Amino acid sequence: MKKVAVYMMAAAVQMSLPALAQANDDFHISGFGSLVGGTVVDGDGYWARLPEAAGQYDTGLEFQTESRLGLQARYEAGEKLSVTAQAIFRGINDFEPSLEWLYASYEITPSLEVNAGRMRLPVYHFSDYMDVGIAYPWLRVPSDAYSLAVTNYHGISLRYMLDWNSGTTNFLLYGGQQDTDPNDLITTIEQYKTEQLYNEDGGFRGVRGIRTTKDYEDMKGIVVDTQIDWFNLRLSYLEGKENFTFYAEGGYPSTPLFGDQWVDTQFIDVSTSIDYNNWFFIAEWNEYDTIYTSWFTSIAKTIGDWTPYVFYSNFEGELRFIAPGGVSAGFEDGVTGTLDDDYNSIGIGVRYNLNPRTALKFEITDFNDDGDAAVFIDEDRDGDTDATAVAFSLDFVF
């Protein structure tokens, strides 16, 4: 009943938006969406490890986990003051609405702007529009390299644009905090690594219910993004404190099994791209403190309405965990073992533009697991979670 009420309210709001927009030239509404379907053609299962734990495929044709719809509203409250809000309906969350952005912007000068509220954490090249499928050639941003467990933050940012004739450089300074309870991405990662369950015949029957949280405070970051004609170079640095906590299955409140300590952390991301004469090339690398490093590279060629592409992505990390009968993990006095993550993906696909606002995409992804930690479903428990998946999408903006 609660979900029905939420949907009815959302529908009423959407029906009233066109009339409101016509009555007030200071109010603007836009949106985007992706209908994504996919399946596994080889292996036990495939998981595109993006935030929100999206993109899980095994048998059959799956249309829900990566499909999404976003609505964005912008209100010009004055000559220099505006308010932006964005809500997303994700299939992985049964299309329940989630408020992703809500922030105010004030233009101090034509080149200097301050923002405050709930915003996207700008750590990646495509952070601001990683949910907007039509904004990039691939079916999804390469998930091996876009797997930070937090996507938004609450705080303040200062943006300055420097125009120096030959090009432009955008400087972004920001700070804030963010709490995630539960943290969907890390919870799912931990379940498939250490909590897979099997029946008496050895058949896979699911994962044990757990809960993880990850909180961030004292977040301080800088982004320097330079564009010179067809060349772009982007540098991003974030530091702060984080608190990761692991809970067994159970209600709230519950006693942590391990974690619940604040530690210093940092995240670095570097990307460079070339968009020249219908060719597009990008390479992006990032390092998350001592937890993991990841990167991807891709090349695409636009030929009329068609854009074929190929990409390679890689992830290397380490998991500290509880061994059977252990008490704690992740800290010097209780580590009982480690599992290494080492996997990569090779993808080939094509994009076809139906019109400037709508595109069809088809992609084949070959996932190779070279580590000793289970990445997704491992039904025969042989440590091999390699998979080949196919997916297609309809991406649009309005």
Side-chain angles (χ1 to χ4, degrees):
M1 187 68 183
K2 179 180 178 182
K3 185 180 297 185
V4 173
V6 171
Y7 290 157
M8 291 179 64
M9 180 178 66
V13 170
Q14 293 177 49
M15 292 174 62
S16 67
L17 286 176
L20 179 60
Q22 293 177 4
N24 189 343
D25 292 337
D26 296 328
F27 185 83
H28 308 276
I29 185 72
S30 60
F32 58 88
S34 293
L35 176 63
V36 185
T39 189
V40 170
V41 295
D42 185 46
D44 296 332
Y46 171 70
W47 174 24
R49 292 171 53 160
L50 291 168
E52 305 297 329
Q56 296 187 13
Y57 303 97
D58 44 48
T59 58
L61 188 59
E62 169 61 56
F63 274 100
Q64 182 166 337
T65 60
E66 287 190 276
S67 296
R68 57 199 179 273
L69 175 68
L71 296 174
Q72 185 175 114
R74 181 179 175 90
Y75 174 60
E76 304 291 342
E79 184 179 350
K80 297 185 176 182
L81 179 65
S82 65
V83 179
T84 301
Q86 178 173 292
I88 296 185
F89 302 75
R90 299 183 188 275
I92 192 68
N93 298 324
D94 291 328
F95 295 105
E96 293 187 355
S98 171
L99 186 64
E100 301 279 316
W101 300 355
L102 180 59
Y103 63 91
S105 303
Y106 184 78
E107 184 183 283
I108 301 173
T109 72
S111 300
L112 184 63
E113 179 183 79
V114 62
N115 305 280
R118 177 177 172 86
M119 296 171 284
R120 177 58 56 88
L121 193 64
V123 291
Y124 297 118
H125 186 102
F126 291 98
S127 281
D128 285 346
Y129 40 92
M130 62 188 295
D131 289 314
V132 186
I134 204 169
Y136 40 79
W138 321 286
L139 186 133
R140 65 181 73 86
V141 290
S143 60
D144 298 343
Y146 274 56
S147 54
L148 191 64
V150 60
T151 56
N152 300 306
Y153 76 104
H154 299 83
I156 189 168
S157 70
L158 189 67
R159 186 184 301 273
Y160 176 71
M161 185 184 72
L162 175 64
D163 188 342
W164 39 283
N165 298 324
S166 298
T168 60
T169 299
N170 283 283
F171 298 90
L172 178 65
L173 298 173
Y174 64 96
Q177 63 184 37
Q178 173 71 347
D179 297 338
T180 60
D181 182 6
N183 189 288
D184 293 330
L185 179 62
I186 299 180
T187 297
T188 309
I189 289 174
E190 296 283 352
Q191 285 177 314
Y192 284 108
K193 281 185 176 180
T194 63
E195 307 295 331
Q196 295 197 25
L197 302 175
Y198 300 87
N199 57 34
E200 294 180 355
D201 299 327
F204 176 78
R205 62 182 180 88
V207 293
R208 181 178 289 107
I210 61 170
R211 173 175 135 246
T212 69
T213 66
K214 202 156 196 180
D215 302 334
Y216 300 81
E217 66 177 25
D218 296 335
M219 300 169 73
K220 300 177 288 292
I222 182 172
V223 178
V224 181
D225 191 331
T226 299
Q227 184 75 42
I228 305 174
D229 196 11
W230 42 263
F231 174 77
N232 177 267
L233 176 64
R234 187 180 187 276
L235 309 173
S236 173
Y237 175 79
L238 170 66
E239 67 176 26
K241 295 181 180 296
E242 66 176 44
N243 187 325
F244 168 71
T245 308
F246 187 109
Y247 298 87
E249 184 177 14
Y252 292 81
S254 53
T255 302
L257 286 183
F258 63 88
D260 199 20
Q261 294 187 12
W262 288 98
V263 297
D264 296 331
T265 189
Q266 65 178 11
F267 186 88
I268 302 169
D269 184 88
V270 181
S271 70
T272 184
S273 63
I274 294 172
D275 194 345
Y276 180 74
N277 197 25
N278 292 327
W279 284 94
F280 176 71
F281 167 81
I282 186 170
E284 185 168 6
W285 171 91
N286 52 67
E287 181 180 66
Y288 184 12
D289 207 357
T290 59
I291 300 175
Y292 68 74
T293 60
S294 64
W295 62 276
F296 86 94
T297 186
S298 177
I299 189 168
K301 169 68 172 179
T302 299
I303 307 169
D305 292 326
W306 296 88
T307 303
Y309 62 85
V310 62
F311 72 84
Y312 175 87
S313 58
N314 186 81
F315 182 102
E316 295 183 13
E318 182 179 88
L319 167 73
R320 298 176 179 179
F321 70 101
I322 305 175
V327 177
S328 63
F331 299 96
E332 294 181 358
D333 60 350
V335 175
T336 58
T338 61
L339 290 173
D340 292 328
D341 274 322
D342 185 355
Y343 53 83
N344 60 78
S345 298
I346 300 174
I348 183 170
V350 63
R351 166 178 169 156
Y352 176 71
N353 291 331
L354 295 172
N355 57 55
R357 293 175 172 268
T358 312
L360 288 170
K361 298 175 185 176
F362 176 80
E363 183 173 299
I364 302 174
T365 304
D366 188 50
F367 177 82
N368 303 286
D369 182 11
D370 298 324
D372 53 18
V375 176
F376 194 45
I377 298 171
D378 187 13
E379 291 195 14
D380 49 14
R381 288 186 284 181
D382 61 355
D384 182 2
T385 54
D386 293 355
T388 301
V390 297
F392 48 88
S393 69
L394 173 66
D395 301 321
F396 55 90
V397 293
F398 56 90

